[in-house]
Amino acid sequence: MNDWPQGWSDDNRGTRYGRGSSGAQPEGARVMRQVRRGPAAPPGGGQAAPPYGVPQQPSYVDGQGYDAYDSGYNTGQVYGSPGGPGDGGGMYEPRPAPNWRRRIKVTSITVVTVLVVTLVGTYFWADSKLNRDVDLSKVIDRPEKGEGTNYLIVGSDSREGMSAEDRKRLHTGSSEGKRTDSMMILHTGDNGPTLISLPRDSDVEIPTFVGSESGKTYQGTGRHVKLNAAYAEDGPELLVRTVEANTGLYIDHYVEIGFAGFANIVDAVGGVEIEIPKGGMKDTKSGADFEAGKQTLNGEQALAFVRTRYALAGSDLDRTKNQQKFLSALANQVATPGTVLNPFKLYPTMGAGLDSLIVDKDMGLFDLADMFWAMKGVSGGDGTSMNMPISGSSGGNLVWDEAKVKTLVEQLNNDEKVTVSGD
């Protein structure tokens, strides 16, 4: 049986190379028979007309290619003209040179936009963290406001949020409630900042005041107490009222921080470098145990340092000096480029600080920034730090020097350079 296509026989196969050919030489050029599609040509050599609607198909003639048909594939022109793109109808146009001015402009706008969005977002995030719990509008009979801005900065012994382990580690004890452990007035103005410590044992008179919770008016009776007793009696509002009544100095803003918050801020900035005076410092009550010399204190050590007074010759007066020195060093550390320009340090520091601060209702982030920069200025030598002038003691209370205090307050109210000195 012959399986080859019509017109082929075994004789046509010949000796071929490949496809199962047994020949050793490749087959020569082979002329294909003419193949036509459609009906066969009529007798006489003429061509039959194609069926209606079907165009005549090209055909091979004598094995030499298509008859009257040019495929276009032998011209060497695959895409476009022989000259390539751009030379007579090419498919692709040349890529234009980059517009660097436009790219730089777009990049700059993008960077500025991202920066603005980040700053605005950070501002609102930080502003939302402030605990504005103190209402100074409840303070009555306030003195006239002077030039510059006065901050009352309070360190309380609040143990809120501290576990029993934290209290033991930080040597805070377990007393309930909270009392003022330190008090300072920071004045900012055009003649440099002035930081004045108010010893907690200062002898003051409790004036007439309105209860912060009850709204009831309590008449002054001339009762003299230690300054920190005013805070213990009716909180920040009475403390502000007492300071203003006994000094004549208007307090613009109130800022308070507790034990845990203070330690957290110090740890967040990576510790604060401080100079321990000759002889070192050791106090079992506060947990202080430092050798003399410059060293970096962590949060636990810093809290022990600012609370120590029994190991100091001047007791509370020397302690206030250490508190001023440390707070100024802390502010200086917070304001360094290493903290401000490092988001991995800045945001934890802001979070730790803002979460633990209690401020008045009118306190804003710019006010807080002004306070920190002023404290940094004190440590940098641009300002003055001092204790409230003391003239003596009475019944264990430290009595202020009335003449010096009057001069000091006048200079602060007029935003003049402070010439008064304190112990």
Side-chain angles (χ1 to χ4, degrees):
M1 180 178 178
N2 187 355
D3 294 331
W4 294 97
Q6 183 179 2
W8 287 73
S9 66
D10 289 340
D11 293 336
N12 299 120
R13 296 170 62 185
T15 303
R16 298 164 52 202
Y17 177 80
R19 292 195 180 93
S21 170
S22 60
Q25 298 297 325
E27 60 181 332
R30 183 175 69 249
V31 177
M32 294 184 66
R33 291 177 179 270
Q34 180 177 349
V35 179
R36 293 182 181 275
R37 296 181 182 177
Q47 292 185 345
Y52 177 75
V54 179
Q56 184 175 359
Q57 301 297 317
S59 62
Y60 282 99
V61 178
D62 299 328
Q64 300 300 317
Y66 286 109
D67 180 22
Y69 177 77
D70 184 9
S71 68
Y73 281 91
N74 294 323
T75 64
Q77 302 178 29
V78 179
Y79 297 105
S81 63
D87 186 15
M91 183 176 291
Y92 298 105
E93 294 294 332
R95 178 177 295 179
N99 188 339
W100 289 109
R101 178 176 297 180
R102 182 176 180 277
R103 289 188 179 186
I104 293 174
K105 181 179 179 180
V106 171
T107 301
S108 300
I109 293 175
T110 302
V111 171
V112 171
T113 301
V114 171
L115 181 60
V116 170
V117 170
T118 301
L119 291 176
V120 172
T122 299
Y123 175 86
F124 284 104
W125 167 78
D127 188 72
S128 67
K129 285 184 167 294
L130 283 177
N131 301 305
R132 296 182 173 91
D133 297 337
V134 179
D135 188 358
L136 296 184
S137 67
K138 296 179 180 179
V139 180
I140 62 172
D141 299 335
R142 308 192 69 181
E144 184 178 352
K145 177 175 170 52
E147 300 293 328
T149 303
N150 299 314
Y151 299 88
L152 180 58
I153 304 171
V154 174
S156 76
D157 63 0
S158 171
R159 297 157 178 84
E160 184 177 354
M162 297 174 62
S163 64
E165 182 180 349
D166 290 334
R167 295 182 182 188
K168 182 178 180 180
R169 177 175 58 87
L170 298 175
H171 300 272
T172 64
S174 57
S175 300
E176 297 300 327
K178 60 180 181 179
R179 288 151 291 278
T180 52
D181 206 55
S182 62
M183 291 159 284
M184 303 178 189
I185 294 175
L186 175 66
H187 174 86
T188 65
D190 295 332
N191 285 289
T194 302
L195 185 62
I196 308 163
S197 285
L198 309 176
R200 69 177 190 173
D201 292 339
S202 296
D203 185 83
V204 294
E205 179 181 337
I206 297 294
T208 298
F209 69 97
V210 175
S212 59
E213 297 294 335
S214 65
K216 180 181 177 181
T217 299
Y218 297 89
Q219 294 295 330
T221 60
R223 176 167 53 102
H224 279 246
V225 297
K226 292 182 179 181
L227 181 58
N228 63 344
Y231 181 97
E233 187 171 330
D234 197 47
E237 288 84 359
L238 180 55
L239 178 61
V240 171
R241 169 76 176 116
T242 302
V243 170
E244 288 186 343
N246 284 265
T247 62
L249 187 67
Y250 183 92
I251 300 299
D252 295 276
H253 294 294
Y254 177 92
V255 181
E256 177 186 327
I257 188 170
F259 283 161
F262 179 81
N264 289 340
I265 293 176
V266 174
D267 285 334
V269 298
V272 176
E273 189 177 73
I274 203 75
E275 181 81 26
I276 303 298
K278 185 177 180 180
M281 183 184 298
K282 189 168 185 177
D283 185 353
T284 56
K285 291 186 178 294
S286 69
D289 188 5
F290 308 119
E291 296 181 357
K294 186 175 293 186
Q295 52 195 282
T296 299
L297 307 185
N298 61 25
E300 177 183 346
Q301 295 168 327
L303 186 59
F305 177 79
V306 299
R307 294 183 62 223
T308 295
R309 64 171 176 165
Y310 294 104
L312 305 175
S315 188
D316 199 39
L317 292 178
D318 282 349
R319 180 173 71 162
T320 57
K321 294 177 182 178
N322 283 340
Q323 291 171 346
Q324 289 179 349
K325 180 168 66 174
F326 189 87
L327 289 179
S328 295
L330 174 60
N332 187 68
Q333 178 70 23
V334 170
T336 59
T339 299
V340 175
L341 300 180
N342 183 355
F344 297 103
K345 183 177 286 188
L346 176 62
Y347 283 97
T349 301
M350 292 178 65
L354 297 174
D355 276 341
S356 57
L357 291 179
I358 297 175
V359 299
D360 64 271
K361 293 185 180 298
D362 295 327
M363 186 79 160
L365 288 179
F366 290 108
D367 299 312
L368 197 60
D370 175 66
M371 184 190 79
F372 269 97
W373 280 106
M375 293 187 70
K376 180 179 181 294
V378 171
S379 64
D382 296 330
T384 303
S385 61
M386 57 182 290
N387 278 326
M388 186 64 83
I390 303 296
S391 62
S393 62
S394 175
N397 295 352
L398 297 175
V399 179
W400 294 349
D401 188 318
E402 292 186 8
K404 287 186 176 181
V405 170
K406 182 178 179 180
T407 302
L408 172 63
V409 171
E410 287 178 353
Q411 291 176 341
L412 294 177
N413 278 331
N414 296 326
D415 195 24
E416 300 172 351
K417 189 70 176 178
V418 172
T419 60
V420 177
S421 61
D423 295 332

